[in-house]
């Protein structure tokens, strides 16, 4: 296949870092291989889910023939426009946040904090480029995977077409991911806007930035760009940010964003965008009152839409919805028993680690569960997630209102970080740990952590939940002192103290007489 038969990709700016990125994950000189007579597995989409499925199946050394198709950049959102670039910028922004707090720690910054925006963005591109080799076309070829660059679509019940190549398969996996949703706002398309897929191409700082959407992506990027020197206005249709999160957690972050100088426009309806001499003017209304703000750039972070177009899913009887994505059962099997799906294309959990976990389920269910014996269910997963603001908000399991709706009686233990010695020493008292346990039992049903490094702490609770370790056993785990994770032990100890009833107290008093 000639190199002109698939679309050449550029990632702006095409500096040395992005050139290396593209050379790894969509090389312009790539020649698609001659297809095998028959593939055990064809994977459409080389984001996290697709890569894990392909590498897992090919790396088992069982002689399986695997093909992987990608029309854009291998590595998907995580590498190119999600986790890696965003967290690289967040790290730079967190340094600014530390410097803002320096005076409280007895450190005087003798001069104005100067953010070199171009260097911050170049650092991000360098990091992304350095990691891209892991997701490269060459690496997967060396793993034994036939990598096809181009748009894949089903051509029959057992074939996928890529350019002029036809790939015959025994089983297939759809892992085409999702993309940013464009809000229906008059004039937005004409004025132009950024999404998480284009914002990382910026090389010049926008002095004034509007962020649409108060969910995790919107909040993370709003705080990041504010700390990097932008004047930020965050628009959200809800009464408070992070509608789906623990209310107290969302309230803390909302106060932080306001304190850092972000203008929050809540309960708003965005009506129109007009291009003016000064930039882009957004007209909006709040409770019937119309107002406007003028910015240099508009960043849209208002949800994701599944990439179901162009796959010719009707050809293979795979049911889908343009909003919800490909329909799968609890085993990640589509309505065609030979075809599975994983990742953002079919799941409510739109996280890299969720796509990775789902891909592992697909491998097991598709290849190692004969006649359906021993299959793993998606609903069995205990899924943590983190909003990477400062402070971070981490969660796993049930929220209190979810338990109430399900008729589950829970007890909540709350440990404020103002009572944790290390958090006090760090001047990071803002936040809390909440653990929900089944009333009358030490079984952990869910937890929320609001802390500077909440994402590093949530895995201990997730591990406990997965392995059915209750609060009593967690109480016996020795935690190094002083650490902020000691809050978990404090919560477990709080539960243990509830066991000291008048009856047990009498028994203990009796035992002490003979000790």
């Amino acid at each position: 296949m000639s190199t002109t038969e698939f679309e050449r990709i550029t990632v702006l700016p095409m500096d040395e870092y992005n050139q290396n990125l593209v050379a790894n994950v969509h090389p312009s000189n790539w020649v698609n291989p001659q297809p095998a007579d028959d593939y055990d597995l064809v994977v459409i989409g080389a984001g996290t889910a697709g890569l894990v499925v392909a590498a897992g199946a090919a790396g088992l050394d069982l002689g399986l023939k695997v093909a992987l198709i990608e029309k854009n950049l291998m590595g998907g959102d995580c590498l190119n426009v999600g986790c890696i670039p965003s967290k690289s910028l967040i790290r730079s922004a967190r340094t600014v946040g530390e410097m803002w707090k320096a005076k409280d720690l007895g450190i005087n910054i003798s001069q104005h904090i100067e953010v070199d925006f171009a260097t911050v963005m170049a650092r991000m591109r360098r990091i992304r480029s350095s990691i891209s080799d892991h997701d490269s076309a060459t690496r997967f070829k060396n793993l034994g995977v036939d990598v096809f660059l181009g748009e894949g679509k089903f051509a029959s019940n057992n074939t996928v077409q890529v350019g002029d190549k036809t790939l015959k398969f025994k089983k297939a996996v759809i892992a085409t991911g999702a993309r940013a949703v464009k809000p229906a706002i008059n004039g937005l398309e004409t004025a132009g806007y950024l999404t998480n897929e284009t914002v990382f191409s910026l090389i010049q700082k926008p002095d004034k930035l509007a962020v649409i959407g108060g969910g995790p992506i919107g909040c993370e990027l709003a705080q990041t760009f504010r700390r990097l020197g932008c004047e930020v206005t965050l628009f959200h249709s809800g009464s408070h940010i992070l509608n789906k999160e623990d209310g107290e957690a969302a309230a803390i972050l909302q106060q932080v964003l306001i304190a850092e100088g972000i203008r929050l426009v809540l309960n708003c309806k965005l009506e129109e965008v007009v291009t003016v001499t000064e930039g882009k003017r957004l007209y909006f209304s709040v409770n019937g009152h119309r107002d406007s703000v003028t910015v240099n750039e508009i960043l849209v972070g208002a949800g994701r839409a599944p990439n179901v177009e162009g796959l010719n899913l009707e050809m293979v009887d795979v049911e889908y919805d343009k909003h919800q994505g490909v329909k799968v059962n609890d085993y990640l099997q589509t309505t065609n028993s030979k075809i599975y799906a994983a990742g953002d294309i079919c799941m409510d959990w739109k996280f890299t680690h969720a796509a990775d976990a789902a891909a592992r389920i697909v491998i097991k269910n598709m290849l190692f569960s004969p006649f359906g014996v021993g299959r793993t269910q998606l609903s069995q997963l205990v899924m943590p997630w983190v909003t990477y603001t400062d402070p971070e908000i981490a969660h796993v399991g049930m929220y209190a209102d979810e338990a109430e709706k399900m008729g589950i009686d829970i007890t909540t233990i709350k440990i404020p970080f103002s009572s944790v010695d290390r958090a006090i020493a760090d001047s990071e008292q803002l936040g809390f740990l909440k653990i929900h346990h089944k009333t009358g039992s030490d079984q952990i049903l869910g937890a929320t952590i609001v802390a500077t490094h909440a994402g590093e702490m949530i895995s201990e609770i997730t591990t406990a939940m997965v392995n059915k370790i209750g609060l009593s056993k967690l109480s016996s785990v020795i935690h190094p002192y002083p650490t902020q994770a000691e809050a978990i032990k404090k919560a477990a100890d709080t539960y243990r103290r509830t066991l000291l009833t008048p009856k047990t107290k009498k028994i203990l008093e009796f035992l002490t007489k003979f000790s």
Side-chain angles (χ1 to χ4, degrees), residues 405-427:
K405 290 176 182 176
M406 296 173 68
I408 300 173
D409 189 12
I410 65 167
T411 300
T412 299
I413 298 172
K414 180 180 177 181
I415 305 296
F417 277 94
S418 58
S419 68
V420 178
D421 292 354
R422 180 57 187 271
I424 296 170
D426 290 339
S427 288

Side-chain angles (χ1 to χ4, degrees), residues 36 38-41 56-66 143-144 170 367-368:
D38 198 6
Y39 286 100
D40 297 286
L41 176 62
L60 293 169
D61 199 24
L62 298 177
L64 298 175
K65 197 63 181 173
V66 180
L143 289 174
K170 296 176 182 176
L367 300 176
F368 304 110

Side-chain angles (χ1 to χ4, degrees), residues 227-240:
R227 290 181 169 190
L228 295 179
C230 302
E231 184 179 313
V232 177
T233 304
L234 177 60
F235 293 94
H236 187 53
S237 59
S239 60
H240 63 81

Side-chain angles (χ1 to χ4, degrees), residues 254-274:
Q254 184 162 306
Q255 292 168 7
V256 169
L257 297 185
I258 293 172
E260 293 189 359
I262 294 175
R263 179 188 178 189
L264 288 184
V265 182
L266 303 173
N267 293 310
C268 73
K269 177 178 173 55
L270 291 165
E271 299 174 342
E272 186 179 14
V273 180
V274 177

Side-chain angles (χ1 to χ4, degrees), residues 80-289:
N80 299 290
V81 296
C83 309
I84 299 304
S86 67
K87 302 316 169 279
S88 298
L89 294 190
I90 284 172
R91 181 62 186 91
S92 295
R94 180 161 283 191
T95 299
V96 175
E98 288 287 332
M99 296 176 77
W100 284 352
K101 301 171 186 174
K103 190 173 182 180
D104 293 338
L105 299 171
I107 309 297
N108 292 318
I109 305 298
S110 59
Q111 59 187 11
H112 173 71
I113 299 171
E114 182 178 342
V115 175
D116 187 336
F117 188 83
T119 300
V120 168
M121 299 303 286
R123 173 185 176 273
M124 174 272 295
R125 295 193 299 273
R126 173 172 54 81
I127 290 170
R128 180 173 61 184
S129 172
S130 68
I131 292 174
S132 65
D133 179 67
H134 184 74
D135 295 342
S136 69
T138 298
R139 175 175 178 264
F140 275 77
K141 177 182 177 181
N142 292 337
L143 289 174
V145 177
D146 282 356
V147 177
F148 293 84
L149 298 182
E151 185 170 2
K153 61 181 179 180
F154 291 100
S156 72
N157 195 46
N158 66 342
T159 59
V160 172
Q161 195 75 27
V162 188
D164 61 355
K165 306 293 186 184
T166 300
L167 282 58
K168 186 178 179 182
F169 66 84
K170 296 176 182 176
K171 293 183 180 178
V173 176
I174 303 167
T176 49
R179 64 187 183 278
V181 170
K182 186 195 81 171
I185 304 170
N186 290 334
L188 179 63
E189 192 77 37
T190 301
Y193 61 96
L194 301 167
T195 68
N196 71 297
E197 296 163 9
T198 55
V199 69
F200 300 112
S201 292
L202 286 175
I203 55 175
Q204 184 175 345
K205 180 189 72 178
D207 291 330
K208 297 182 179 181
L209 175 69
V211 179
I212 299 175
I217 293 175
C219 288
E220 287 179 8
L221 293 178
Q223 185 180 49
T224 295
F225 280 96
R226 173 68 191 118
R227 290 181 169 190
L228 295 179
C230 302
E231 184 179 313
V232 177
T233 304
L234 177 60
F235 293 94
H236 187 53
S237 59
S239 60
H240 63 81
I241 61 171
L242 299 178
N243 301 60
K244 298 179 180 180
E245 195 49 79
D246 177 278
E248 286 186 85
I252 288 175
L253 180 60
Q254 184 162 306
Q255 292 168 7
V256 169
L257 297 185
I258 293 172
E260 293 189 359
I262 294 175
R263 179 188 178 189
L264 288 184
V265 182
L266 303 173
N267 293 310
C268 73
K269 177 178 173 55
L270 291 165
E271 299 174 342
E272 186 179 14
V273 180
V274 177
T275 302
V276 295
T277 304
E278 304 93 319
K280 305 170 186 186
R281 184 167 296 160
L282 286 83
Y283 289 92
F284 60 94
S285 60
V286 178
N287 298 324
H289 175 70

